Amino acid sequence: MQKYILSLIIILFSQFIIFQSSAQDKKVFPFGVIEEIDSKALNEKRTLNIYLPQGYNPDSAAVYPVIYVLDGSQYEDFPHIAGLAQFMNMYEILPKSIVVGISNLGKSRYRDFTYPSDDKQDLKAIPNNGGSEKFMAYIENEVIPLIEKNYKTDSHKTIIGQSLGGLLATEILFKKSHLFDDYVIVSPSLWWDNQKMVRKANDFLENLSKNIAETKVENTDYKKRIFVSLGEEHPVMHKVADKLVDSIKKLEETKNGTITLFYEPILDQNHATILHLAVYKAFEKFHKKDEEKK
């Protein structure tokens, strides 16, 4: 049943996009707004797609958490995740949220989502790699400030990334953990650069632990929730995901609730079909934790 619902959502959004492009003389169905950034970090113009929840009013005192989606163009994951958020808002499974799609359409996601690799096979397959540091600077210094300046946001932020996007989301967790509270990491391509990211996971997470200790002095509510999932994948994908999870578990055990890990492989899905169901489960888990606090 879940597979059927997810397939139906994909079909409906695809039909909407086709209709929108072919019916210029018709009224446009309002689904979101577009922001453009002349990015200094990337030295090019980039696009953000933004879904605003039902009842959003710039003159209201209400503020909303923000969900940031990598691969976030209208032809990538943005409409699907925004539609999922809208559905879960409607049934109060998820708090009403702003969804920001960070578009990579027409740009090089291979460049933006990877750190430099020394592996010969990586260099042959993706010669234009190694731009993640600039892309993280773009997110930190340009995307998030624009959203927080122009929209009614609270302080809670989520990042969602799949595949190479999952690699980048993991790198953000390791290197710039302060940027987001919740991390949804789906089928992460942690095989990149001979698995260096997970081979050094304990070192990265030790630094994260120090950051948490320092931040908690000023902010007693500092917490991280991490959801990791993957489907039926190449054995290497499972191997590196298990390494990531094992490292996070060690940190979780020492942090007394500051770090909460959810690891849910969904083995009846594959690399192409897992995203919707994984994100649904992540939102469900996160919100259940919120309900337990009340």
Side-chain angles (χ1 to χ4, degrees):
M1 185 62 179
Q2 286 177 318
K3 289 183 180 179
Y4 173 77
I5 292 172
L6 294 174
S7 298
L8 183 60
I9 290 172
I10 294 171
I11 292 169
L12 289 173
F13 272 107
S14 298
Q15 289 178 339
F16 164 68
I17 292 170
I18 293 170
F19 171 81
Q20 189 179 34
S21 62
S22 63
Q24 297 297 325
D25 58 333
K26 304 294 184 180
K27 290 182 178 179
V28 175
F29 179 77
F31 185 72
V33 297
I34 296 172
E35 295 274 8
E36 290 188 335
I37 297 178
D38 287 316
S39 173
K40 294 180 180 179
L42 301 175
N43 194 31
E44 60 191 18
K45 182 173 285 189
R46 301 302 292 256
T47 300
L48 304 177
N49 297 296
I50 302 160
Y51 164 78
L52 302 173
Q54 183 178 4
Y56 180 92
N57 185 333
D59 297 323
S60 169
V63 292
Y64 302 90
V66 184
I67 300 165
Y68 291 86
V69 183
L70 300 171
D71 290 314
S73 83
Q74 62 175 324
Y75 299 108
E76 297 174 298
D77 297 335
F78 167 72
H80 312 300
I81 301 304
L84 189 61
Q86 186 276 332
F87 174 81
M88 298 182 82
N89 289 167
M90 186 166 57
Y91 290 99
E92 298 183 348
I93 304 170
L94 177 76
K96 286 186 176 181
S97 305
I98 297 169
V99 181
V100 177
I102 305 174
S103 177
N104 275 85
L105 188 65
K107 306 297 180 183
S108 177
R109 72 191 293 270
Y110 299 109
R111 177 198 70 194
D112 292 342
F113 291 174
T114 57
Y115 58 89
S117 175
D118 295 323
D119 184 85
K120 291 181 179 180
Q121 289 185 332
D122 291 349
L123 295 172
K124 182 178 179 180
I126 308 175
N128 183 29
N129 70 75
S132 64
E133 184 175 353
K134 290 182 179 179
F135 198 75
M136 289 190 292
Y138 164 63
I139 292 173
E140 180 175 15
N141 300 322
E142 298 177 318
V143 174
I144 293 175
L146 182 147
I147 297 301
E148 293 183 345
K149 178 181 178 181
N150 294 289
Y151 296 89
K152 305 286 288 187
T153 68
D154 66 18
S155 62
H156 196 92
K157 298 186 288 294
T158 300
I159 183 75
I160 299 172
Q162 182 191 16
S163 193
L164 284 176
L167 174 69
L168 181 67
T170 304
E171 187 175 4
I172 294 171
L173 172 66
F174 285 172
K175 297 180 179 179
K176 292 183 174 289
S177 62
H178 61 282
L179 292 183
F180 299 99
D181 306 284
D182 294 340
Y183 290 78
V184 182
I185 300 171
V186 182
S187 299
S189 298
L190 294 167
W191 48 262
W192 178 256
D193 192 23
N194 195 27
Q195 305 178 26
K196 185 181 291 184
M197 186 74 71
V198 288
R199 286 191 289 108
K200 293 189 174 183
N202 290 333
D203 294 335
F204 283 124
L205 290 170
E206 184 177 344
N207 290 331
L208 172 58
S209 179
K210 291 177 181 178
N211 291 338
I212 291 172
E214 292 171 0
T215 305
K216 285 187 73 176
V217 173
E218 301 175 359
N219 179 4
T220 56
D221 294 327
Y222 184 97
K223 293 181 182 298
K224 302 292 174 192
R225 298 185 294 194
I226 306 163
F227 182 95
V228 180
S229 184
L230 75 168
E232 183 181 4
E233 313 263 4
H234 189 284
V236 171
M237 295 283 283
H238 287 271
K239 181 180 179 181
V240 293
D242 287 343
K243 286 182 179 179
L244 173 65
V245 167
D246 288 345
S247 295
I248 296 172
K249 279 181 178 178
K250 292 176 183 177
L251 182 61
E252 181 185 31
E253 291 169 358
T254 66
K255 289 297 135 187
N256 300 319
T258 303
I259 299 289
T260 304
L261 171 69
F262 304 93
Y263 184 34
E264 293 211 14
I266 308 173
L267 300 180
D268 61 348
Q269 301 294 310
N270 59 43
H271 195 78
T273 64
I274 188 175
L275 181 65
H276 292 77
L277 187 54
V279 173
Y280 185 98
K281 286 180 176 291
F283 287 165
E284 196 173 42
K285 290 289 186 181
F286 292 165
H287 186 58
K288 183 178 179 180
K289 283 291 182 181
D290 289 338
E291 289 296 315
E292 290 172 355
K293 296 174 189 174
K294 295 180 181 179

